[in-house]
Amino acid sequence: RPSPIVHGQDVWYELEARRDHMERLLRLQTLSTTYEDSNNVNVAAMATNSRVLGSSRSTSNPDYAADNALAEGRDKRKSKLDEELNKLGIDPNEMEHNPEQFGTAAMRTYNSFLLPKSKGALAVAESPTRARVVANNISFLLREFKADQEEWLRNVDRNRAEAVSKSDEKIGVKHPVVIVLDNVRSAHNVGNILRLAEAAQVESVRLCGMTPRPPHPKIMKTAMGAAEFVDVGDADASTLQTVLDLKAKGYDVYGVETTETAITLWDAPISSSNNPVAFVFGNELIGVDVEVLEECKNIISLPTYGNKNSLNIATCVGIVAWDYLRRGAT
């Protein structure tokens, strides 16, 4: 399935439209050739029913869904909502293109008003005062998001100060390891990885691209209080730039990916030098970006012995990190 995170919004619109169109054609062909019309069912009519065929009901891009009544009036609704947001001192364009706002409650509310998913929701969105109500709701959600971010930063500072002041000297000693996450999709996975990183005392976890960042509630749930103790890097850094910066600082960078040229983790000469290391883990669907892999010193993979050739990314991070520590590289 196409993803706005991986492919970008414009490409995503086209890919999603093509996918929906192909699904209709293929399912219509299947129904036409295999269905026994004992009940005089109109197969062509079934092919246009997205609920029967299971195709997407998305109205994400009206340019590719001109016949979808729910997408009609999107531009007008957007203009009205943007006008109300500007009255409240909120720049809609800045909000839409701010990576930190991706997937937040404010952006979900904004998009739901522009692209309602039902006739009832469309009727509500078209009411005269609805844009003002939604704008006020978005304003509150943005303030709430900012407050959560500020509280998160205060917790980070306090917890790290406490860690430094602990009498047990082993707490706070970092291993020369950096975990790089390349457009990882799942916030739950990110939370698990931060928990692993704190337990392993790695230097940092770089959350690159559209990887969710703390204090995302799903991250905080699975991190179990560990997220405040882990350095998560610059929010604006791309994976490629992060890797190039690490290489410039003397890190040996390894991509963790299943490719024809990958070396198994057991055979990889990771601890053969005294350089600090970085491991790059990719998106759950498409893995590590090819340009990033080309900058890696080596590509390593975990051997698998079942029908599946991949593991959950958080599980993979744990295995790779602890194998490195097992080798005695400190």
Side-chain angles (χ1 to χ4, degrees):
R1 179 176 177 83
S3 166
I5 299 176
V6 177
H7 301 97
Q9 288 285 0
D10 293 337
V11 177
W12 173 51
Y13 290 148
E14 183 170 352
L15 288 174
E16 189 173 63
R18 290 179 181 178
R19 181 186 62 80
D20 289 348
H21 180 62
M22 288 303 298
E23 275 192 359
R24 286 198 216 51
L25 292 178
L26 290 172
R27 291 175 184 271
L28 175 59
Q29 179 67 21
T30 301
L31 288 169
S32 299
T33 56
T34 63
Y35 184 74
E36 295 182 2
D37 193 11
S38 58
N39 296 318
N40 295 320
V41 174
N42 187 333
V43 176
M46 290 178 66
T48 63
N49 189 330
S50 62
R51 291 195 176 186
V52 172
L53 300 180
S55 59
S56 173
R57 298 174 58 217
S58 173
T59 57
S60 299
N61 185 3
D63 294 337
Y64 293 102
D67 59 339
N68 192 329
L70 298 179
E72 293 179 0
R74 175 188 180 277
D75 292 339
K76 183 178 179 181
R77 289 193 294 276
K78 177 176 172 58
S79 178
K80 291 171 61 177
L81 181 55
D82 288 354
E83 181 181 353
E84 294 294 338
L85 288 172
N86 282 318
K87 290 179 181 178
L88 298 173
I90 299 169
D91 185 347
N93 187 60
E94 180 182 347
M95 183 181 71
E96 280 189 275
H97 295 89
N98 184 354
E100 292 187 356
Q101 291 294 333
F102 183 84
T104 61
M107 280 308 304
R108 290 197 302 271
T109 302
Y110 183 86
N111 290 327
S112 294
F113 178 78
L114 301 187
L115 302 166
K117 298 296 183 181
S118 68
K119 292 181 179 180
L122 176 62
V124 172
E126 293 291 346
S127 62
T129 60
R130 186 59 182 173
R132 186 184 310 160
V133 173
V134 173
N136 285 320
N137 190 21
I138 291 173
S139 176
F140 169 78
L141 293 172
L142 288 174
R143 293 197 302 272
E144 186 178 47
F145 176 79
K146 184 178 180 180
D148 289 343
Q149 293 281 61
E150 292 174 349
E151 181 181 3
W152 156 254
L153 292 175
R154 287 194 297 271
N155 290 339
V156 168
D157 293 340
R158 182 179 65 252
N159 290 339
R160 289 181 182 176
E162 290 177 357
V164 170
S165 65
K166 284 183 178 295
S167 58
D168 188 350
E169 294 184 357
K170 75 175 183 178
I171 302 296
V173 176
K174 302 290 186 180
H175 295 104
V177 182
V178 172
I179 305 298
V180 181
L181 302 185
D182 176 25
N183 287 303
V184 172
R185 179 181 59 180
S186 168
H188 287 132
N189 280 337
V190 174
N192 279 320
I193 291 168
L194 293 179
R195 185 179 180 186
L196 289 166
E198 197 283 326
Q201 283 294 284
V202 304
E203 283 184 9
S204 64
V205 178
R206 306 297 178 87
L207 307 179
C208 302
M210 299 307 295
T211 304
R213 304 177 65 84
H216 191 294
K218 292 181 180 178
I219 291 178
M220 306 307 288
K221 179 178 181 180
T222 53
M224 298 292 289
E228 293 91 341
F229 297 98
V230 182
D231 180 9
V232 293
D234 187 356
D236 298 325
S238 69
T239 309
L240 182 59
Q241 187 58 53
T242 298
V243 168
L244 292 174
D245 290 345
L246 289 171
K247 289 176 64 177
K249 294 176 181 177
Y251 284 77
D252 290 337
V253 181
Y254 298 88
V256 184
E257 186 60 273
T258 303
T259 69
E260 292 182 354
T261 60
I263 306 171
T264 62
L265 178 62
W266 320 139
D267 299 326
I270 296 173
S271 59
S272 59
S273 71
N274 293 323
N275 296 337
V277 300
F279 298 104
V280 185
F281 300 84
N283 176 270
E284 295 92 332
L285 294 177
I286 64 172
V288 181
D289 187 88
V290 174
E291 290 184 350
V292 174
L293 289 176
E294 291 174 350
E295 294 294 334
C296 294
K297 179 177 181 179
N298 276 313
I299 302 174
I300 61 177
S301 65
L302 271 64
T304 55
Y305 307 99
N307 292 322
K308 301 295 183 180
N309 71 337
S310 65
L311 296 171
N312 172 270
I313 183 174
T315 302
C316 189
V317 170
I319 294 172
V320 172
W322 260 268
D323 179 73
Y324 178 79
L325 299 180
R326 179 193 63 80
R327 297 176 188 229
T330 60

